[in-house]
Amino acid sequence: VRLGLPDPEFDGHPARRTVPYSPDLELDWVHGWSLTERRALAVPEHVAYWDVPGPHRPRVVYESSNGCGLGNSPLEAVLYGLFEVAERDAFLMAWYARTPLPRVAVPADDPEVTALADRAALLGYRLTLFDATNDLGVPAVVSLCRYTGTRPDAPRAFLAAGAHHDPRVAIRSAAAEVVTNVQEAARRCAPGGPRDPERLRPMLDRPDLVLDLDDHVGLSTLPEAQPRLDFLCADSPPAPWSERWPGTPEPVPDLAALLERAVERLAGEGLEVIAVTQDEPGVRDRLGLHCAKVIVPGTLPMTFGHVNRRTAGLDRLLQVPHRLGRAVRSPRREELPLYPH
């Protein structure tokens, strides 16, 4: 239950890919390790690994690549998995709670980011960056590319996110992902393509028709969907990243110490950090790369297919934006529009 179960309003929907949870439901389990409690514990297999259940192996939550990280050691893989949890939690918290975010200036001294911004501009899009960092304490960035040209049929907007101990890396990650979406828009948004506007428009009034990743991304490209993005753009002037995250990045002589500090911070927020190895022998033995799945019950997970959305029981969504000063009060869940992300 702490994982956040699918929202009950879609129980029984034909597109729902889960079964209702009950304590006597038989599930397959694997071992994970709680970094918070420093002990082994059981984790549902379909939470630890992506898409393993068959027709006779039920799952109670929809999982994707939430918390998956790759590294040169198991420790580094866990650290990057935790960054992935923080990225998605920060974005979804801002999206579902409709909270404005402080703007971050595109760093003029970072040639990689400025090249990405210039590339977007050549295609008619303006890159805007936002500080989405929340109570998890990991610098998180939301990137937005909005169309500024004159073509009436151009995709209007794309969103992405990034998180990292070093805010500059989070910025690069968010910028690279959103500009990649802009770059491939001509192919994917063409008539008959996966993001054909005519196919997507019914989803504005029927969010349950949003079934996969292309539907989620494509919906935000429609002109009619643009008011849903306006909440982001508060009238705050963009500030340099060094002002948004003063004192960062701290030097990291020891990844173990960095991970331990992150785990302790989350424990202070009542959140447990759990890791499961996802090592693939060939990648590990031949390339020296390790993979881990990090699970932080209580954080907001990315789901695809609107009817698989998981916000039930995740009270941080209602409490943290107000605590951070981004909302005037803690809303009731029924007050949130919960548009497809």
Side-chain angles (χ1 to χ4, degrees):
V1 173
R2 289 192 296 143
L3 293 168
L5 295 174
D7 291 1
E9 67 197 83
F10 295 115
D11 282 349
H13 192 284
R16 174 64 71 82
R17 299 173 64 182
T18 58
V19 300
Y21 170 74
S22 66
D24 57 352
L25 182 67
E26 186 173 314
L27 300 172
D28 291 305
W29 298 75
V30 297
H31 278 111
W33 181 262
S34 171
L35 282 80
T36 308
E37 300 292 337
R38 303 191 182 199
R39 65 182 180 90
L41 79 174
V43 176
E45 185 186 36
H46 69 279
V47 174
Y49 302 103
W50 189 356
D51 239 12
V52 293
H56 305 296
R57 302 173 72 189
R59 55 180 167 188
V60 297
V61 297
Y62 174 93
E63 269 294 332
S64 62
S65 57
N66 292 305
C68 291
L70 196 69
N72 293 298
S73 66
L75 188 151
E76 188 178 41
V78 170
L79 188 64
Y80 274 87
L82 185 57
F83 292 162
E84 172 84 352
V85 169
E87 169 196 320
R88 293 179 170 196
D89 179 78
F91 168 75
L92 289 170
M93 181 172 287
W95 178 260
Y96 286 144
R98 319 303 290 165
T99 57
L101 298 175
R103 289 173 60 193
V104 181
V106 174
D109 59 346
D110 189 320
E112 184 175 334
V113 178
T114 54
L116 288 165
D118 289 346
R119 181 62 183 165
L122 285 172
L123 296 169
Y125 291 81
R126 178 186 297 116
L127 173 65
T128 306
L129 304 171
F130 302 91
D131 174 12
T133 310
N134 60 14
D135 58 327
L136 302 189
V138 179
V141 175
V142 169
S143 55
L144 170 66
C145 271
R146 254 183 163 165
Y147 187 63
T148 59
T150 57
R151 284 178 41 220
D153 61 338
R156 284 309 191 251
F158 295 96
L159 286 157
H164 196 275
H165 167 72
D166 185 338
R168 297 168 297 181
V169 178
I171 288 171
R172 290 180 202 127
S173 176
E177 184 175 339
V178 77
V179 176
T180 298
N181 276 325
V182 169
Q183 178 73 43
E184 64 175 9
R187 176 174 60 87
R188 302 186 74 83
C189 298
R195 298 176 192 164
D196 182 343
E198 294 308 311
R199 187 182 74 83
L200 297 168
R201 281 198 173 89
M203 300 175 190
L204 290 164
D205 299 316
R206 287 279 311 279
D208 61 305
L209 297 176
V210 176
L211 300 179
D212 58 28
L213 177 58
D214 274 310
D215 297 343
H216 283 276
V217 175
L219 198 56
S220 292
T221 67
L222 297 176
E224 300 92 330
Q226 296 316 291
R228 298 181 180 183
L229 279 63
D230 290 343
F231 75 92
L232 274 173
C233 304
D235 290 331
S236 62
W241 68 268
S242 57
E243 292 182 15
R244 292 292 181 212
W245 296 279
T248 60
E250 298 178 32
V252 184
D254 185 348
L255 287 182
L258 176 61
L259 179 59
E260 185 173 350
R261 288 202 304 271
V263 170
E264 289 175 353
R265 179 183 176 89
L266 269 63
E269 299 291 335
L271 297 170
E272 183 178 15
V273 179
I274 301 160
V276 181
T277 181
Q278 288 187 335
D279 277 358
E280 195 282 317
V283 173
R284 181 193 61 214
D285 299 338
R286 296 178 65 186
L287 303 179
L289 295 174
H290 297 261
C291 186
K293 165 84 169 191
V294 174
I295 303 159
V296 183
T299 57
L300 289 154
M302 186 69 73
T303 54
F304 298 113
H306 190 60
V307 301
N308 298 312
R309 186 187 68 211
R310 290 163 55 190
T311 63
L314 300 182
D315 293 337
R316 289 177 59 256
L317 172 61
L318 306 177
Q319 299 165 356
V320 172
H322 175 58
R323 190 148 46 96
L324 294 175
R326 293 174 181 167
V328 294
R329 62 177 178 83
S330 295
R332 297 188 300 274
R333 188 183 177 281
E334 58 269 21
E335 294 177 315
L336 302 179
L338 297 177
Y339 293 127
H341 57 77

